[in-house]
Amino acid sequence: RKKFKPAVPGWVYLDTYVYLHGNQRLKIENCRRILEYHEVMVRLQTMDMIIEIWGTGLRVFDYGDSSVTVTGKISSVNLTEKS
């Protein structure tokens, strides 16, 4: 039985993936760090953008393995490309 071997060993995915579940849960994959965190705003840095999440009762969970989940009542998400 052959095992799958990636073409590039240790391949790192650098694209940012944003998953929005209604207005109460947002998951961002490939997050580099949390820049700011308040009950009404969370600002995150990825490889290619800054993501601002605005709402009420915001909480950050599951920060690890380069992903983060934000829960609460999300009112807006702003994506700004890094220059």
Side-chain angles (χ1 to χ4, degrees):
R1 189 172 198 188
K2 290 185 177 182
K3 290 185 177 182
F4 174 75
K5 196 171 191 180
V8 180
W11 184 257
V12 177
Y13 295 95
L14 302 176
D15 289 336
T16 300
Y17 295 93
V18 178
Y19 305 96
L20 181 62
H21 304 274
N23 70 337
Q24 296 185 1
R25 180 179 295 264
L26 180 74
K27 182 175 183 179
I28 295 110
E29 291 185 2
N30 296 322
C31 176
R32 294 190 69 190
R33 68 178 145 170
I34 299 170
L35 298 174
E36 199 170 341
Y37 173 22
H38 303 283
E39 186 178 295
V40 296
M41 191 269 290
V42 176
R43 188 176 344 174
L44 307 169
Q45 178 182 344
T46 68
M47 286 294 290
D48 54 351
M49 67 180 70
I50 303 294
I51 302 174
E52 286 185 355
I53 301 108
W54 290 87
T56 56
L58 299 179
R59 298 192 64 196
V60 174
F61 292 96
D62 300 332
Y63 183 63
D65 295 332
S66 71
S67 71
V68 67
T69 300
V70 178
T71 62
K73 188 173 180 186
I74 298 168
S75 58
S76 70
V77 179
N78 300 322
L79 308 173
T80 305
E81 283 189 62
K82 288 172 47 179
S83 48

